[in-house]
Amino acid sequence: MPVQDTPGAKEAAKQSTKPLRSQAWFGRQDKMGFYYRSFLKNSGFPQDQFDGRPVIGICNTWSELTPCNAHFRTIAEHVRYGVLDAGGFPLEFPVSSLGEVTMRPTAMLFRNLASMDVEEAIRAHPLDGVVLLMGCDKTTPALLMGAASADLPAIGVSGGPQLRGVYRGEIIGSGTNIISMSEQLRAGEITLADFHEAEAAMNRSAGSCMTMGTASTMASMVEALGLGLPENAAIPAADARRNLLARMAGRRIVEMAKADLKPSDILTRAAFENAIRALAAIGGSTNAVVHLLAIAGRVGVELTLEDFDRLGRDVHCLVDLMPSGRFLMEDFYYAGGLPAVLRTLGERGLLNREALTVNGRSIWENVAEAPCWNEEVITPFEAPFKADAGIAILKGNLAPDGAVIKPSAASPELMQHTGRAVVFESVEEMHHAVNDEALDIDASSIMVLKHCGPKGYPGMAEVGNMPLPAKLLRQGVRDMIRISDARMSGTAYGTVVLHVAPEATAGGPLALVKTGDLITLDVPARALHLHVSEEELAARRAAWVPPAPHAERGYQRLYIDHVLQADRGADFDFLVGRTGSPVPRDNH
Ligand code: FES
C-alpha cells in the first residue's frame, strides 16, 4: 500500500474515551491554565488552538553537526502541514542530535543520553502524540527508545537516504567506498586529489548514507516494526515523496492520538520477530542487533541474541545492496522498497501477518499487494542474492555471552578457520601496528582487538573492522578474520566478529587472549573457541589487572558505571523498562 493511501479520517472512528493528555495543561480555566496557554500565545497561537484538539510534538534531530539530518527543518514543515490538515496543534521541539561522522569518541556513547532527553521531553510537555524525525544512525534508536519508555502515541519518520554517489561515472556508496578507497590510497593505487574529488561525489544530496548501512537498516526497522508508514525506509531524502510521507505521518498522528494508539500496542514480540527477519532479508547492519535489544528492553519484550540467530536462519538476503552487493537505497526504492521484501517474507510464512502498524492496519494488509519492479535489486526468494544470510550469533569460551558476525558481508572461505591470534591491547596500538612492516602476521592470522566495548572505549565504537596490515594489502590480501568487542559501521564489510560479550574491560575472556594463541571461528557451528586450557586461562585471569576507567566524573563516568553489555543492548541498567506519560504535578 503506497504511502499516499495511508488511512486517515476513517480511523478517527476508533477514538479513545480517555481525555486528551494536553487538556491537563491547556484545558484549565484557572491560574495554571492562564500560565500554560499565555506564554505560547507569544507565537501568535489563537485561543481556539487550545480547544481540546490533539497537541502533536514534532521531535526534531535537526543539526548542522548531523549533516545527514540537516534537511529536517523542511521535513518538519511537511509534518506540520499534515498535523494542521487533520485538525491537530503542531509544536516542534529539538532534542539531542547524534552525528555519526562528527562526534567523538563515538556517537554510540550518547545514544542512551539522547534517549533520556527524548523520553523526558515527551513526558514533561503537554503533548498527545509525537512524530519522531530520525536519520543518522543513532538518532533512530535513541528516539525509539525514548518514545517507547514515554509510551505516548508516536510515529517514526526517517529522513531518507541520499541519492546515489557518482564518481567519474561510477556509482559509489556511503562508507563502503570510503573504506575501499582509503585502502587504495594506502596501497598507492589512487592519488590524494582523486580521494578529495570522491568525497564530494559521494555526498551529493541531503540524506543519510545510501548504502544498507546502519541508518537505512534502522529506517527499515522502523517500517518493519510497524512504527513508520509503508515506504518509510527507502524514499530518497531528495524525492518529493519523502515530504509526502512526512505530511501523511502528520495527518496520521492526530488520529493515533485520538485513538490512544501507543508504541506499547505496536512494539510486541511479533513486531520484533518481523524486524529480525526483515533485518536478515535486507542484509542489514549488525548495529541493529544492539539497538533492537535495547528498544525491546524498554517495552518489556524478552528478546535475546538467540532470537536473531533462530529467526534469521531460514531467511535469505534478498536485496543486492552495498555493502554486501551492488545497488544503493535509491535503486531499492525504485524496485519496490521494503514493502516488496516484507511481502516475500509474508508469502513464505516468515512474517507475523497480524502485527499492528501505525496506520491502524496489520503489516500484511500494508504489503500484501506490494509490487517488485526489479528482480535484480530485490531478488526472488527462490533465487536469493545470498542464501541463509541472517546475522549469526557465535558462542564459545571466547564469547560466553555471545558475539555476532554478518555472513553476507564475510568471505566464504574464512567462515571455518583456525588461525594464530595477533592481539592489540588498544585501538591506538592496532593503528600503529598495521603500518609496521615488522608486524609478525600473515593472511591466515586472526586480528584481535581489546577494550573497544561499551565500557572500554567507552561507547563501543565502530572500530571492529580493523584496517588490514599495509604489507598484506600490498600482497593483495583483502580480507582477514578480525575479532573484537567493538561494533562496526553498517557500511563496512569483511569477516569481522563483533560485540564479543563480556567485553575485555569488563573482564571477559577476550581480555586474556595473547598473541600466538590459536582461535577457531566456525560460523556453521556458531562457535568461537580459544584453544587455551582452563588452567592457563585461570592463571592469566589471576594475573589480569583491569584497566583504569576512562573518566572519573561526568556523563562518561555515569556511562561506564551503568552501561549493560552488548548482548543486552548496551542500554543503561536504570533505563530498561518504561514509565509511561503521566505527570501529576503542576510546575508552579
Ligand atoms: Fe549519518 Fe551514515 S553518517 S547516516
Side-chain angles (χ1 to χ4, degrees):
M1 190 183 63
V3 63
Q4 56 264 36
D5 295 335
T6 286
K10 67 182 177 184
E11 292 296 321
K14 296 182 188 165
Q15 272 199 29
S16 162
T17 50
K18 255 173 57 178
L20 285 175
R21 180 175 181 268
S22 60
Q23 283 296 292
W25 282 258
F26 297 144
R28 306 259 296 266
Q29 305 307 330
D30 58 5
K31 178 194 84 171
M32 290 311 299
F34 184 106
Y35 191 79
Y36 291 133
R37 289 184 298 270
S38 164
F39 284 82
L40 275 169
K41 287 181 178 176
N42 76 350
S43 296
F45 296 122
Q47 175 62 30
D48 62 19
Q49 291 290 289
F50 304 96
D51 61 2
R53 67 190 72 196
V55 180
I56 303 300
I58 304 171
C59 179
N60 202 342
T61 50
W62 171 87
S63 168
E64 286 186 332
L65 287 167
T66 306
C68 317
N69 298 14
H71 60 302
F72 277 22
R73 282 172 158 174
T74 304
I75 290 188
E77 281 309 293
H78 288 278
V79 173
R80 183 188 306 278
Y81 301 147
V83 174
L84 292 170
D85 288 346
F89 180 7
L91 290 168
E92 184 183 348
F93 64 99
V95 289
S96 307
S97 191
L98 305 175
E100 190 64 28
V101 291
T102 46
M103 298 188 88
R104 294 171 70 169
T106 167
M108 180 64 174
L109 177 62
F110 309 104
R111 183 200 65 177
N112 299 346
L113 179 66
S115 81
M116 283 196 284
D117 180 8
V118 172
E119 176 184 348
E120 300 303 333
I122 292 173
R123 184 180 298 117
H125 289 109
L127 302 175
D128 301 305
V130 62
V131 179
L132 309 167
L133 303 190
M134 312 173 284
C136 197
D137 297 15
K138 307 301 175 291
T139 56
T140 300
L143 268 58
L144 295 183
M145 290 159 71
S149 286
D151 205 26
L152 208 61
I155 188 167
V157 173
S158 300
Q162 297 174 0
L163 299 174
R164 299 181 193 99
V166 184
Y167 169 66
R168 298 181 182 175
E170 297 285 323
I171 300 297
I172 57 173
S174 320
T176 306
N177 283 92
I178 296 178
I179 296 163
S180 62
M181 293 189 82
S182 60
E183 296 200 338
Q184 286 174 321
L185 185 70
R186 288 173 67 219
E189 294 167 11
I190 60 172
T191 68
L192 197 54
D194 298 335
F195 201 56
H196 290 164
E197 185 184 330
E199 290 169 12
M202 183 178 295
N203 291 284
R204 68 190 179 94
S205 84
S208 49
C209 291
M210 79 313 251
T211 47
M212 185 52 84
T214 304
S216 294
T217 299
M218 290 309 297
S220 301
M221 295 299 94
V222 170
E223 191 172 331
L225 284 167
L227 272 179
L229 294 175
E231 303 184 337
N232 174 70
I235 303 173
D239 191 310
R241 287 165 287 187
R242 178 58 61 184
N243 294 336
L244 169 63
L245 181 135
R247 188 167 188 142
M248 300 309 280
R251 290 182 183 181
R252 178 62 194 150
I253 189 65
V254 175
E255 307 307 335
M256 288 173 67
K258 289 177 182 171
D260 198 29
L261 180 58
K262 301 185 296 299
S264 57
D265 300 317
I266 292 168
L267 293 175
T268 59
R269 181 168 179 89
F272 282 98
E273 290 183 354
N274 286 344
I276 290 171
R277 285 191 166 124
L279 178 65
I282 60 174
S285 164
T286 46
N287 286 322
V289 177
V290 183
H291 299 323
L292 287 173
L293 288 167
I295 298 162
R298 297 299 186 98
V299 287
V301 169
E302 293 283 334
L303 206 64
T304 64
L305 279 178
E306 284 69 25
D307 288 322
F308 287 83
D309 201 294
R310 183 175 56 80
L311 293 162
R313 249 182 213 244
D314 308 329
V315 183
H316 305 316
C317 178
L318 301 177
V319 301
D320 186 352
L321 259 58
M322 291 186 195
S324 306
R326 292 174 292 164
F327 298 102
L328 292 168
M329 287 301 288
E330 192 179 342
D331 307 298
F332 185 39
Y333 178 53
Y334 303 149
L338 196 70
V341 173
L342 295 176
R343 175 184 176 172
T344 302
L345 293 179
E347 287 171 345
R348 298 299 180 291
L350 296 170
L351 193 73
N352 296 312
R353 293 183 175 198
E354 288 71 36
L356 181 64
T357 74
V358 284
N359 66 6
R361 300 186 179 193
S362 74
I363 197 153
W364 184 244
E365 287 177 302
N366 286 343
V367 304
E369 307 291 328
C372 171
W373 302 110
N374 186 335
E375 292 196 345
E376 267 195 273
V377 179
I378 303 174
T379 57
F381 201 83
E382 299 71 30
F385 168 54
K386 290 196 179 183
D388 303 318
I391 286 170
I393 304 302
L394 309 168
K395 288 233 170 145
N397 68 345
L398 188 50
D401 292 337
V404 309
I405 187 169
K406 182 176 171 182
S408 66
S411 300
E413 67 277 12
L414 291 173
M415 301 291 266
Q416 285 178 297
H417 178 82
T418 298
R420 170 182 166 272
V422 176
V423 175
F424 311 107
E425 295 292 329
S426 70
V427 74
E428 290 79 15
E429 181 186 326
M430 180 272 292
H431 280 302
H432 175 75
V434 293
N435 288 315
D436 183 352
E437 296 296 311
L439 181 66
D440 183 12
I441 194 166
D442 62 33
S444 70
S445 304
I446 295 180
M447 299 170 73
V448 176
L449 176 61
K450 303 179 182 177
H451 304 299
C452 294
K455 293 177 188 290
Y457 200 76
M460 203 182 176
E462 293 185 343
V463 295
N465 53 315
M466 291 167 253
L468 301 182
K471 66 179 182 183
L472 298 184
L473 280 175
R474 286 198 304 276
Q475 292 168 18
V477 176
R478 287 295 178 265
D479 194 14
M480 291 171 65
I481 295 176
R482 289 156 274 180
I483 299 174
S484 74
D485 43 16
R487 297 176 301 116
M488 81 171 174
S489 164
T491 61
Y493 51 86
T495 310
V496 187
V497 176
L498 302 153
H499 310 187
V500 169
E503 64 176 301
T505 305
L510 184 67
L512 310 178
V513 185
K514 290 186 174 175
T515 292
D517 292 345
L518 286 181
I519 294 174
T520 293
L521 169 67
D522 188 341
V523 178
R526 302 296 195 257
L528 188 63
H529 188 76
L530 176 64
H531 296 273
V532 175
S533 69
E534 285 300 316
E535 298 73 36
E536 171 62 15
L537 284 176
R540 290 185 191 179
R541 181 168 297 288
W544 183 69
V545 180
H550 276 269
E552 287 302 324
R553 63 161 299 281
Y555 173 71
Q556 289 204 18
R557 182 72 218 201
L558 176 96
Y559 185 94
I560 292 164
D561 288 348
H562 290 281
V563 71
L564 298 168
Q565 289 294 287
D567 61 304
R568 301 203 42 211
D571 202 358
F572 289 156
D573 50 10
F574 62 89
L575 287 178
V576 174
R578 65 188 148 100
T579 307
S581 63
V583 190
R585 287 184 168 164
D586 285 317
N587 55 20
H588 283 81

